[in-house]
Amino acid sequence: MRISLRRPVTVLTGALTASVLGLTAAVVSEVAAPSTAYASSVGGAISRAEILNRAEWWIDTYGAIYSQDQADAKASVTGEKYRPDCSGFVSMAWRLPKDGGWDRNTRNLTSYGDTAGVSLDDLKPGDAILDSVDGHVALFHKWTDSSKTNMWVYEEYSTGDPGRHVVKSKSDYADSGYRGISYDEVVGSTGSASVYGTMSDGRLTYTRIDTETGRRSHGAVVSTAKLGFTPKAMATLNFNTVLVTSTAGQLYRVDVITNNDSLRFETPVHLGGGWTHDLLTYDGSGHLYGIADGTLRRYNIGAAKPNASHITGNTMIDTGFALRTLTSTGPDWLLGTTSAGELLSYRIRGAGDWSRYELRSSTWQTMDNLIAPGGGAFYGHRADGGSVHAYLDTLPDNGTGADLTGTGTVDASGWTQTLLSAQPRTAQ
């Protein structure tokens, strides 16, 4: 027996128009299209973004295929076949291995030593909601709001009906004996990326990305006011403070008043001249880095909203930093790309004292902005088409790209900002 907690099936049709986004694309969906990057292996580590991408692909691809017969297994996006019932669907999303040719069922889903129980309140994207007594399981997507009263789930649920993306009540689940479970092989950062950007006409934008899922969760919110100068480089210090240089070599502090339903900021505060940097980034631990004509400099930031007197140090690290993009993945760790397509990581210790690591040797020349909120998560922006792509470097301070994977596409188009910068250390 399976209890069907029926709620109206609601499709995510809420599209944000270009006028709201301040972007040129006609429509940008709230939820990004499934990614073509599937970095996991069967039974291996898998990100929450990939779990959701696999679930979306399955639901979008197949119609009414529900069956509890293993012989009716259907191919997943990566080719492995899974039984098209509720537990086979979750097994597919998690990319679980078979047991003697069989997918797990609701009674043995948690019997292999690779899952853990979680409360319904603590569910994270890609976890599951299981009732092993009456025999049903669904994949948790996200809460409908901060009250955690209702949730979006993906599920295969009944013969003759297609799999669905549907809103369910947490209390109905609890009353029916459901419990949360998580898969031990899930990897990735937690938190969010708070991303500021500038438009070519000087307007400021704010967007938030959920780093667990790689999905845009807020914005883009676009200011009506303009900065009043042509921006050249930017670095986000904290949630409401951004440093921006102009093409005339001037440095400004931009104090954001609100970035919720609208984006408003105070008149930019002029901090001084001589800032000819092509790239800026802040590491979240008091150090601002800038590159001008290939020379890397480090500055000390002594206040949350610094005046000119709070920016000190001006240490020349070295020359030869011919980077196209620049961001910080942690205290005194930098990440950048070159016009030749390299993805490079740097450990900075002081003047003339630094280490360079090649994470990738090619293909990264298409990125014109990198942004990193911490926790190994980072995002690359491609100007050609305005797409933003998510990546995870499980150990960002180990100097190797062996643990670097692509985890999906945040949006396939619509990001027409000229500069992007994330608040550092908002993800773990």
Side-chain angles (χ1 to χ4, degrees), residues 20-360:
V20 173
L21 287 168
L23 311 179
T24 59
V27 174
V28 177
S29 300
E30 183 186 10
V31 176
S35 165
T36 56
Y38 295 91
S40 69
S41 58
V42 174
I46 188 170
S47 70
R48 296 186 186 278
E50 184 173 344
I51 290 171
L52 296 180
N53 286 337
R54 291 175 65 84
E56 282 185 4
W57 182 91
W58 180 282
I59 296 297
D60 290 344
T61 300
Y62 295 118
I65 57 169
Y66 184 95
S67 172
Q68 295 181 351
D69 189 338
Q70 190 71 41
D72 292 330
K74 298 292 183 182
S76 69
V77 67
T78 45
E80 306 89 10
K81 291 186 175 182
Y82 290 89
R83 189 178 61 247
D85 62 359
C86 64
S87 52
F89 173 74
V90 170
S91 297
M92 177 280 303
W94 287 353
R95 210 172 179 185
L96 296 178
K98 308 288 185 187
D99 183 357
W102 290 83
D103 294 316
R104 300 183 194 184
N105 57 52
T106 54
R107 300 195 189 279
N108 68 12
L109 186 60
T110 60
S111 302
Y112 291 79
D114 55 4
T115 61
V118 296
S119 72
L120 295 181
D121 281 328
D122 292 332
L123 286 167
K124 294 181 178 180
D127 288 343
I129 310 99
L130 171 68
D131 178 2
S132 58
V133 176
D134 291 314
H136 187 55
V137 65
L139 192 75
F140 176 78
H141 175 193
K142 63 180 181 179
W143 299 103
T144 60
D145 55 53
S146 60
S147 69
K148 295 186 177 182
T149 302
N150 297 301
M151 64 183 78
W152 283 99
V153 302
Y154 293 101
E155 63 181 353
E156 287 283 359
Y157 70 108
S158 182
T159 301
D161 291 315
R164 62 187 185 180
H165 187 212
V166 63
V167 173
K168 293 290 188 69
S169 163
K170 181 184 70 176
S171 62
D172 281 357
Y173 273 137
D175 292 345
S176 297
Y178 282 76
R179 58 192 174 95
I181 57 171
S182 63
Y183 180 39
D184 291 346
E185 294 298 324
V186 173
V187 297
S189 63
T190 59
S192 62
S194 290
V195 183
Y196 283 101
T198 61
M199 304 296 289
S200 58
D201 62 2
R203 288 179 295 158
L204 200 65
T205 72
Y206 175 77
T207 313
R208 187 169 60 248
I209 301 171
D210 184 330
T211 58
E212 287 187 307
T213 64
R215 310 302 175 87
R216 178 165 45 86
S217 57
H218 183 73
V221 183
V222 186
S223 69
T224 300
K226 299 179 180 180
L227 292 172
F229 56 87
T230 303
K232 184 178 182 181
M234 70 184 301
T236 301
L237 299 187
N238 50 61
F239 188 65
N240 57 5
T241 312
V242 183
L243 296 181
V244 187
T245 63
S246 73
T247 53
Q250 305 300 306
L251 177 67
Y252 297 87
R253 190 188 77 225
V254 181
D255 297 334
V256 177
I257 301 170
T258 180
N259 57 18
N260 189 14
D261 295 328
S262 62
L263 198 162
R264 293 184 292 116
F265 55 87
E266 304 281 5
T267 301
V269 178
H270 181 242
L271 299 181
W275 289 80
T276 59
H277 302 76
D278 304 302
L279 301 167
L280 282 182
T281 190
Y282 180 61
D283 73 351
S285 294
H287 285 160
L288 175 71
Y289 286 91
I291 296 177
D293 297 323
T295 297
L296 177 66
R297 294 182 177 274
R298 183 170 71 185
Y299 304 86
N300 300 321
I301 302 295
K305 290 189 175 298
N307 294 317
S309 62
H310 297 130
I311 304 177
T312 60
N314 192 5
T315 301
M316 190 188 86
I317 303 301
D318 219 331
T319 60
F321 288 81
L323 297 180
R324 176 175 167 81
T325 64
L326 182 69
T327 190
S328 174
T329 55
D332 294 318
W333 277 90
L334 304 178
L335 184 71
T337 60
T338 69
S339 58
E342 299 165 293
L343 177 68
L344 303 175
S345 178
Y346 297 90
R347 172 71 170 99
I348 309 299
R349 288 174 286 272
D353 187 6
W354 52 275
S355 300
R356 172 189 184 275
Y357 307 95
E358 183 181 86
L359 305 185
R360 292 288 187 271

